[in-house]
Amino acid sequence: MAIMITIVLIVFLALICVIEKTASHPMIILLGEWSIIFFLCTFSVYDYDISSKAYMIIFLGILSCIGGYFFSKNDLNFNVKCNEKINVKCNEKNIFSNTKLYLIFCIEIIMLIILMSYYENVKSLLDSGIAYGEIRYSYLKDVIGQNPVYNIIFSYLVRPFGIMMMPLSVYLLVKDRRKVVKLVFLIELVNVLLVTVVMGERMYLFYYAFFMITTYLCVRKSEGKNSSKRFKKIALLAIILFACVFVFISKSRISSGVSNKNENELVEKIQDTAYLYFSGCVSHLSQKVENFDADKSVDKYTYGVTSFQGVMRPLHQVWELVDQNASNRNSLFNKADDRKNEIESAILLGGHRFNGYISMFYYFYVDLNFIGVVIISFLISVWINWRYSYFLANKSSYSLIRYLLAVSTFAFSFFQFMLSNLDVPMAFVYCWLIFLSTNKIKVKLTEG
């Protein structure tokens, strides 16, 4: 079945490549990624029992995304709106005043101080004899701190603001020659490396790599050869740093789970990890679907709350302060919270450990079965393709950052649904705040 799906996806990928002619298009990112995943599944390296239902959930979700693409492409009202010219031409120095850039720099410094304190906690745990590989899974509360305020700061500021700054810092470095821009880029790069080391989270490096590459693909034609050279220099620096950190974390985490730590066993474990990083989400989903279907309770579906918990969580936490009944364990939100924890919990299959890599389509499935997969996949695809169309229409830095945040949902669809966590929804909020003054100017000029 994996071979058939791979062939179908490659056909659609070739068709959309011919239509769009750019690697930065959201559907090319989605179809390219899943073509590779299903191609890897055809090898059956670990002989996992992947159910036909698991294949069907993912395939149906991808087909719905393709349907959303063609719908958005034929939505004449939206395309006309996108093609309306905005009567404002601002360079980045007008959009990002020195005051705004220094404010961003101060926030980055605050994040750096917080992350350094987390690093000190990690260092003290290592000095006490705890293996680095165990810290991520058993001692994260000791790293971040027991005080709930620390957790709020990390969840609502450090991660989402850092994710929003990933593409923005790279974009500004190429566009703007001011020294403060270089400082912002440098501090953001250090913060990304610190989050990775502190949390033992290799995926954070993939976020940065994705945003860097996609930013380059989106603006390379308009920025000229000099900017292209700067992008390549930045990318080379980041790749060297990230490769070193990635190898260190991988080796530390893997070696702590290897019994005698001999070289052959360690190499085999690294190969397993590399393979399972992408194709493993399908077998993981298959097992979780089987467990979910075994639950015969009538109220097991969460009707979109699991998928969009990251969007709803800030509002729900405010509502809890107003209404104490909102924290009732039987509420739909708390049921979705439990469901999300279950989704992202680690399982063992054939002696191999699977963590949160389960694909975004399983979130839609637990919300409303196959209907949820079809409807939510379609709507998400329409939204992301609209964001891309809007970026093409005006080429502003604001529309670029919003598109990059949106398309990360497709780029990391093999991992989880990005809107189920706070990172991307709050990154959109910070993006809106950063560009708030620019938006007001545009509104006034277009109204006039």
Side-chain angles (χ1 to χ4, degrees), residues 270-281:
I270 291 173
Q271 291 173 346
D272 292 349
T273 303
Y275 183 83
L276 294 176
Y277 232 71
F278 298 102
S279 65
C281 65

Side-chain angles (χ1 to χ4, degrees), residues 3-22 25-35 38 58-71 73 381 385:
I3 296 175
M4 293 176 59
I5 295 176
T6 303
I7 294 171
V8 173
L9 293 185
I10 290 175
V11 170
F12 275 115
L13 176 62
L15 173 64
I16 295 177
C17 280
V18 170
I19 296 172
E20 301 297 340
K21 299 181 178 65
T22 174
H25 192 277
M27 294 310 301
I28 293 176
I29 292 172
L30 179 73
L31 292 174
E33 173 183 292
W34 281 100
S35 296
F38 280 114
I58 298 174
F59 186 53
L60 190 60
I62 295 173
L63 289 180
S64 298
C65 289
I66 294 171
Y69 159 71
F70 283 110
F71 173 83
K73 197 164 186 66
S381 179
N385 281 284

Side-chain angles (χ1 to χ4, degrees), residues 121-133:
N121 293 339
V122 170
K123 192 170 180 295
S124 64
L125 289 171
L126 291 173
D127 291 341
S128 67
I130 298 171
Y132 184 75

Side-chain angles (χ1 to χ4, degrees), residues 345-378:
S345 61
I347 64 171
L348 286 174
L349 287 176
H352 298 278
R353 190 180 191 280
F354 293 76
N355 49 17
Y357 296 75
I358 197 167
S359 92
M360 70 177 184
F361 302 109
Y362 183 63
Y363 290 78
F364 308 159
Y365 184 77
V366 302
D367 271 330
L368 197 56
N369 209 293
F370 282 106
I371 297 174
V373 174
V374 171
I375 293 176
I376 301 177
S377 297
F378 177 83

Side-chain angles (χ1 to χ4, degrees), residues 173-225:
L173 186 64
V174 174
K175 294 278 291 186
D176 199 320
R177 300 302 177 94
R178 283 175 288 179
K179 290 184 179 179
V180 64
V181 169
K182 296 177 182 178
L183 289 173
V184 166
F185 171 80
L186 182 61
I187 299 298
E188 172 62 16
L189 185 61
V190 172
N191 285 344
V192 169
L193 294 173
L194 277 173
V195 170
T196 305
V197 172
V198 165
M199 305 298 292
E201 186 178 348
R202 293 167 294 188
M203 184 56 71
Y204 209 68
L205 293 178
F206 283 100
Y207 291 164
Y208 195 95
F210 164 75
F211 285 128
M212 176 178 288
I213 294 169
T214 314
T215 300
Y216 170 70
L217 292 174
C218 287
V219 303
R220 60 179 173 173
K221 290 183 180 180
S222 61
E223 296 305 314
K225 292 184 179 180

